[in-house]
Amino acid sequence: MRIDVLDVGKRFGEFVALDDVSLEVAEGSLTALLGPSGSGKSTLLRIIAGLEAPDSGEIQLDGADVTPARPQDRGIGFVFQHYAPFNHMSVRENVAFGLRIRKRPKAEVKAKVDELLALVGLTAWSGQRPAQLSGGQRQRMALARALAVDPRVLLLDEPFGALDANVRAELRLWLRRLHDEQHVTTVLVTHDQEEAMEVSDTIAVMHEGNIEQVGSPQQVYDHPVNDFVMGFLGPAVRMEGELVRPHDLRLSLEPENGATEAVVTRVVHLGFEVRVEVELPDKTQARAQMTRAQARELELGPGDTVYVQAPHKEREKVKV
Amino acid sequence: MRVSRRATLSLRTVAIGYLVVLLLVPLGLVFYRTFEHGFGYAWSWMTTPAAISALWLTLVIAAIAVPLNTIFGIICSYVLVRGRVRGRAILDSLIDLPFVVSPVIVGLALILVYGEGGWFGNWFISHGIPIIYAPAGMVIATVFVSLPFVVREVAPVLRAAGEEQEEAAATLGASSWQTFRRVTLPSIRWGVAYGVVLTSARALGEIGAVLVVSSNVAGSTLSLPLLVYQRDSQIGPAASSGAYAAAMELIVISLLVLVGMMLLGKRREEVR
């Protein structure tokens, strides 16, 4: 199912949540809406779901205008940040909810729910209440519940935001694998650039109610269209007025053509990588990232003089 | 904060002493006075035609007022918590009106509206539907004074439950009514249950507002609290015995309401 967002605008009082945003989500893709809080990403997701009505613009599913349709008529699955479990129902009843509403035959409901509980690894917990599950299990239950009705589109609002780091990493992998098996068009909202890069095949970077750039994770990382996207997708340092990635800075002990002289202030060993913090002639701080082998070769220590070479590649403009 | 053992003990003594002096002793005395001449004597006072009629009227009033205020209370909480309409603040404070206005004034106000010469009064009287000095007026008065309880119990629970579960139900295909019945209602059921207990207690015990709109005729417009009041204002030991017996009936009904709700709650807990 393809999703088209056409010139969607939304205000909350004076606050402009979405400033005439357009986006095309390809059939079967896993798209991440990435941005800081207040950038409008959750509002856009809720408008696609029909949980919020846009002030202007249109939402199309497979080319059909669904803007006035209620959420229950859109054929979507929605997963909330805080899972929104039905606390008075068992795990099994939660997953079965959508099928029961659709009055499917009992045997079919049972078979489908059993299959989904196995898929999310909650078969042993089917009789428990959501309150007895861990956060990760609750989120998997919420996913199974959303998938039970065979949604044409799966929408996830910060699905792993409230989980521990290791559970989060595990669920990300799991979601990616699930998507590769089921190919449901999926839109994921996140403020975590690592999550977006790891899980999605397309990233839409949002900022202050606008979509700044849309592209593959590699495209937006390597060819950001502006400073905001550059800074939001990963660490960036300012060299000669331009933002560059710390791992693109090259340090040498000998003066080179176009290199800037700097003084090392700190060397931090972070396992496989080494971070060298330097002070530039204009007293600004910058940091370079390198491998352990490179660092060993340079043998840098605080107070040493180094020459910093910035990559002078032309940033390709990618059409938004 | 750590409280010393002595302080805990004296606080406990104050709390228990307060309850004993103000609650247990008076109630215990009613119990004692009711049965001091034997159970049979008390029973004869409880089964006079006037007492049976009063018991019946009290139950009928509660049976109308409690469901009405429960349904209204749930709808009203919904509007207050989930509604996006203007004037919610006004509605919010209006609901507390029965709490702050003296019940006697409620009765007088009802006479002004439904009594002879009142706004709607003449219409009702000319159509042969007496409201004031009739059971209908007593029902209206009771509905009025017991109105805020369900709203005040349900609204905070509804607010705490949040909107996410309802949104989740909608995305899963549930209609508004299905969402309400299967998701919202179960999550607020304890608030509703407690609100019903409080509403029932108030409806069974109300006297001030009801006194004003009742004709106070035994056998037709005397509810149990009014019967207690009337018997108690008469002179003589027999009248007092009647008052105590009627009061005992009222106490037993109230306790039954409380126990019934507890059992209901327990059974629901087991079903969960």
Side-chain angles (χ1 to χ4, degrees), chain A residues 46 72 85-86 88 102 129, chain B residues 165 167 170 172 182 186 272:
Chain A
R46 291 172 59 83
Q72 54 259 48
F86 302 137
H88 59 286
R102 284 166 176 73
R129 302 262 150 198
Chain B
Q165 291 189 47
E167 289 182 343
L172 290 166
R182 292 174 182 241
R272 287 180 58 165

Side-chain angles (χ1 to χ4, degrees), chain A:
Chain A
M1 169 91 18
R2 200 181 80 226
I3 307 171
D4 287 291
V5 176
L6 304 172
D7 294 321
V8 164
K10 178 77 180 174
R11 283 163 175 273
F12 295 107
E14 289 296 295
F15 178 71
V16 180
L18 290 173
D19 187 9
D20 293 339
V21 161
S22 293
L23 175 71
E24 189 189 313
V25 178
E27 157 119 52
S29 72
L30 203 170
T31 300
L33 301 178
L34 173 68
S37 53
S39 59
K41 55 193 191 308
S42 283
T43 304
L44 180 55
L45 193 79
R46 291 172 59 83
I47 287 175
I48 295 173
L51 293 170
E52 210 85 61
D55 297 335
S56 57
E58 199 174 307
I59 301 292
Q60 294 183 351
L61 295 180
D62 263 354
D65 179 13
V66 295
T67 321
R70 300 174 306 168
Q72 54 259 48
D73 302 326
R74 294 194 183 195
I76 49 153
F78 199 100
V79 175
F80 295 81
Q81 180 176 5
H82 299 290
Y83 332 121
F86 302 137
N87 291 316
H88 59 286
M89 298 180 198
S90 67
V91 170
R92 165 172 288 280
E93 288 166 334
N94 264 275
V95 177
F97 186 86
L99 296 168
R100 293 236 175 102
I101 289 289
R102 284 166 176 73
K103 303 219 169 19
R104 296 279 168 77
K106 267 196 180 145
E108 187 193 321
V109 174
K110 188 182 178 321
K112 180 89 189 175
V113 173
D114 283 340
E115 180 197 323
L116 280 162
L117 286 173
L119 178 75
V120 299
L122 287 176
T123 306
W125 280 268
S126 67
Q128 311 274 348
R129 302 262 150 198
Q132 292 163 294
L133 304 183
S134 69
Q137 289 174 324
R138 252 179 262 178
Q139 191 57 293
R140 293 207 302 265
M141 182 194 83
L143 269 163
R145 184 176 70 180
L147 288 171
V149 295
D150 289 322
R152 304 182 298 171
V153 172
L154 186 60
L155 306 170
L156 310 155
D157 190 4
E158 299 264 7
F160 314 129
L163 299 170
D164 292 344
N166 51 345
V167 180
R168 196 156 62 207
E170 189 188 306
L171 273 181
R172 270 184 213 161
L173 254 173
W174 182 86
L175 176 68
R176 183 68 231 184
R177 244 182 282 135
L178 182 82
H179 182 262
D180 292 341
E181 283 164 23
Q182 311 227 338
H183 301 293
V184 182
T185 308
T186 304
V187 182
L188 165 99
V189 159
T190 180
H191 63 266
D192 180 344
Q193 102 281 356
E194 209 184 300
E195 186 166 292
M197 306 242 287
E198 187 178 330
V199 171
S200 61
D201 38 49
T202 308
I203 295 180
V205 184
M206 296 191 67
H207 180 44
E208 292 178 345
N210 288 293
I211 293 180
E212 301 283 344
Q213 185 173 2
V214 182
S216 70
Q218 204 190 342
Q219 261 175 337
V220 290
Y221 186 85
D222 289 339
H223 306 289
V225 292
N226 58 30
D227 283 0
F228 174 79
V229 177
M230 177 82 190
F232 197 75
L233 269 132
V237 291
R238 193 168 285 281
M239 278 288 295
E240 295 152 10
E242 218 184 324
L243 283 170
V244 292
R245 302 265 177 235
H247 54 74
D248 284 340
L249 289 180
R250 217 154 43 73
L251 301 186
S252 60
L253 296 168
E254 301 299 322
E256 271 178 50
N257 198 16
T260 312
E261 194 180 308
V263 179
V264 175
T265 54
R266 208 157 91 99
V267 180
V268 188
H269 294 266
L270 296 162
F272 66 94
E273 65 163 62
V274 175
R275 203 163 68 201
V276 180
E277 293 173 10
V278 299
E279 193 177 273
L280 298 168
D282 58 358
K283 299 293 171 203
T284 57
Q285 297 282 327
R287 59 175 204 259
Q289 222 175 314
M290 57 187 70
T291 65
R292 266 196 306 193
Q294 286 169 327
R296 214 175 293 129
E297 214 165 282
L298 290 168
E299 284 186 76
L300 290 172
D304 290 355
T305 298
V306 287
Y307 297 89
V308 186
Q309 182 89 41
H312 282 284
K313 57 180 178 192
E314 183 68 17
R315 271 196 219 150
E316 283 173 52
K317 296 285 178 194
V318 179
K319 203 170 172 292
V320 178

